[in-house]
Amino acid sequence: MTQVSGFRSWCLGVTLPLILAAALHQGFATVAPPTAQTTVAPQKDPERPDRGTYRLNGTNGTACLLANMGLQLNMSFVFQEKVVEYVVNIQPNVTKASGSCEQERAVLLLTTDGEKTNLSFVFILNSTSTKYHLSEVSLNATLPDVKDPLSVRNSSVDFLPGTMGHSYMCREQQTMIVSQNFSINAFQVQVQPFGLKGDQFGAAEECQLDEDDMLIPIIVGAALAGLVLVVLLAYLIGRKRSHAGYQTI
Ligand SMILES: *[C@@H]1O[C@H](CO)[C@@H](O)[C@H](O)[C@H]1NC(C)=O
Ligand SMILES: *[C@@H]1O[C@H](CO)[C@@H](O)[C@H](O)[C@H]1NC(C)=O
Ligand SMILES: *[C@@H]1O[C@H](CO)[C@@H](O)[C@H](O)[C@H]1NC(C)=O
Ligand SMILES: *[C@@H]1O[C@H](CO)[C@@H](O)[C@H](O)[C@H]1NC(C)=O
């Protein structure tokens, strides 16, 4: 839904200036010779990452972990005494998934960019509560212009919460802050590290962001319905009053 409206506003944002530019261009065509210049401003951040499908197999050959998601890494480091922000997309077609599945612990390791970037996710299952979550993220990345690779590890994060046998799903973009100098922008996530049935995701548990997103139209709809009801009541009461008025005369 947001994708469509985002695309629509993007179209509007692009086409309007183009139409304007075309109109202006027509106006000035007799004065200035036409130039081949485009009017689109350069984009600073990389575009939305492609959605990857990552899979780990268990001992019996069927999937024990499935993760479909688009990932964008946001790293910052100090270069020549200045903080540099380095944002890169994980390219699924050059990314390898490996790792391990245990009873209460699953590790997904993504290796990409010719082993220049290693990203690992550790999921933990609490078998008493049958809840799981992403509890550890680590990154080892070779950066341009810098000698030492960036190395980050946080083993007390709490993201992507789900229930055993179900998948965690989030259509909205979410940002997972791993440390002061590293965060992950995740897009269209569906992940399940425990209790897969065959090669399939279990029923999806939608994230809060998605639910909030659906709540807005519901609230607006309810408010509008309420307004219509109030106007209708006011009209009916008004009619009854004037009717009663006629009868007394
Ligand atoms: C990257 O993180 C910084 C804060 O560390 C933030 O200001 C910036 O907006 C982020 N960029 C993207 C593309 O998420
Ligand atoms: C697992 O869940 C139970 C019940 O919610 C809780 O009491 C326990 O502390 C949890 N164990 C761990 C290791 O988090
Ligand atoms: C990523 O892992 C591979 C294999 O373990 C290793 O050879 C490579 O040096 C690692 N890359 C970084 C940047 O740590
Ligand atoms: C790890 O993540 C937790 C929860 O987001 C945060 O409070 C903590 O500061 C992080 N630790 C490090 C070393 O960045």
Side-chain angles (χ1 to χ4, degrees):
M1 206 166 61
T2 46
Q3 249 184 312
V4 173
S5 62
F7 178 71
R8 217 182 276 149
S9 58
W10 176 84
C11 282
L12 214 66
V14 171
T15 48
L16 264 186
L18 278 183
I19 291 167
L20 267 178
L24 279 175
H25 193 77
Q26 290 257 297
F28 285 113
T30 47
V31 184
T35 55
Q37 208 180 332
T38 54
T39 52
V40 181
Q43 230 188 339
K44 217 174 123 236
D45 291 328
E47 51 198 34
R48 229 181 139 92
D50 289 336
R51 194 177 193 224
T53 56
Y54 308 108
R55 170 199 169 117
L56 296 183
N57 283 339
T59 42
N60 59 0
T62 58
C64 63
L65 180 151
L66 288 175
N68 295 353
M69 54 196 174
L71 297 174
Q72 184 176 74
L73 311 183
N74 185 351
M75 305 169 256
S76 59
F77 57 95
V78 177
F79 178 65
Q80 291 177 350
E81 286 159 32
K82 265 190 257 160
V83 176
V84 180
E85 209 175 89
Y86 183 54
V87 179
V88 282
N89 289 346
I90 297 277
Q91 310 285 352
N93 56 352
V94 293
T95 301
K96 274 213 303 270
S98 58
S100 59
C101 297
E102 290 161 37
Q103 203 82 43
E104 298 186 338
R105 185 182 152 94
V107 181
L108 173 65
L109 175 65
L110 298 180
T111 303
T112 189
D113 196 13
E115 296 194 344
K116 283 212 213 68
T117 303
N118 295 334
L119 179 63
S120 93
F121 298 97
V122 179
F123 294 89
I124 295 286
L125 173 71
N126 180 335
S127 37
T128 314
S129 62
T130 70
K131 300 281 183 194
Y132 64 80
H133 69 278
L134 175 63
S135 74
E136 179 179 324
V137 176
S138 39
L139 170 80
N140 282 298
T142 311
L143 299 166
D145 307 323
V146 206
K147 240 191 5 249
D148 301 320
L150 181 67
S151 180
V152 176
R153 178 164 175 257
N154 189 338
S155 49
S156 57
V157 296
D158 186 3
F159 302 118
L160 317 180
T163 311
M164 173 78 172
H166 295 247
S167 59
Y168 167 91
M169 182 152 101
C170 205
R171 291 176 232 267
E172 286 284 299
Q173 174 187 347
Q174 56 180 328
T175 299
M176 301 186 271
I177 298 172
V178 178
S179 71
Q180 218 170 7
N181 55 353
F182 174 50
S183 63
I184 301 172
N185 295 324
F187 299 78
Q188 287 188 290
V189 178
Q190 186 168 17
V191 58
Q192 185 172 342
F194 300 102
L196 286 131
K197 297 258 153 56
D199 282 339
Q200 304 288 317
F201 279 118
E205 292 174 345
E206 202 113 355
C207 67
Q208 193 63 45
L209 285 168
D210 286 0
E211 280 174 7
D212 292 349
D213 208 37
M214 281 194 296
L215 213 58
I216 294 165
I218 292 172
I219 290 170
V220 170
L224 279 177
L227 198 67
V228 167
L229 208 69
V230 165
V231 169
L232 199 72
L233 273 178
Y235 169 75
L236 286 176
I237 289 169
R239 228 171 69 134
K240 207 168 178 186
R241 279 236 181 98
S242 60
H243 202 66
Y246 279 122
Q247 275 182 334
T248 50
I249 295 170

